[in-house]
Amino acid sequence: MNNKKNKNINNRYLSGKLERYRYDIIFAIALIAIALIHLSRIRLGMAHVDESFYLSIPYRLLNGDSLLTNEWHVAQLAGFVVYPFIKVYFTLFHSTEGIFLAFRYIYLFVHLMVTVSGYFLLRNPRGGVWR
């Protein structure tokens, strides 16, 4: 009798734990599915914009140009953000071969990390929905 009572208490405890983390599990499954869809399309391109332009400005900075004097385009300050990644890539490979594919992977990784951090910052720490 006592063993059956302990088993019933354990089942309620486990179902309460699963209920608490239900949204985390749904989020993890959805994130993995979306990441796999993006990984299957990564060689075809990630956006409908000129992605070579966004890598050309940090490449110019790497070659010695400076912001606001040698480049007058409105989006030039985005090159400052991408510059450290370009610098690391050139330090490792000494070439531009494969740079677009590498930056698509970096793009996907950064987006996934922002999504995960946003989810954990905005979720209810007690589990469930906000009331």
Side-chain angles (χ1 to χ4, degrees), residues 68-120:
L68 305 174
T69 57
N70 298 114
E71 177 65 46
W72 283 43
H73 195 272
V74 178
Q76 67 178 313
L77 295 178
F80 180 72
V81 175
V82 182
Y83 176 76
F85 297 110
I86 293 275
K87 182 73 172 168
V88 168
Y89 187 85
F90 271 92
T91 302
L92 293 175
F93 300 109
H94 306 290
S95 171
T96 59
E97 188 173 336
I99 196 167
F100 291 113
L101 187 59
F103 272 82
R104 288 176 188 162
Y105 283 111
I106 292 170
Y107 171 82
L108 180 61
F109 177 75
V110 168
H111 271 276
L112 290 175
M113 291 301 104
V114 167
T115 303
V116 168
S117 62
Y119 173 78
F120 282 109

Side-chain angles (χ1 to χ4, degrees), residues 30-81:
L31 185 72
I32 290 169
I34 290 170
L36 289 175
I37 290 169
H38 279 288
L39 282 173
S40 70
R41 290 194 36 87
I42 207 160
R43 291 188 178 270
L44 303 175
M46 296 295 285
H48 300 291
V49 296
D50 188 13
E51 67 183 330
S52 61
F53 170 73
Y54 293 111
L55 293 179
S56 67
I57 293 175
Y59 181 69
R60 287 183 63 183
L61 293 174
L62 188 69
N63 288 330
D65 284 358
S66 62
L67 292 174
L68 305 174
T69 57
N70 298 114
E71 177 65 46
W72 283 43
H73 195 272
V74 178
Q76 67 178 313
L77 295 178
F80 180 72
V81 175

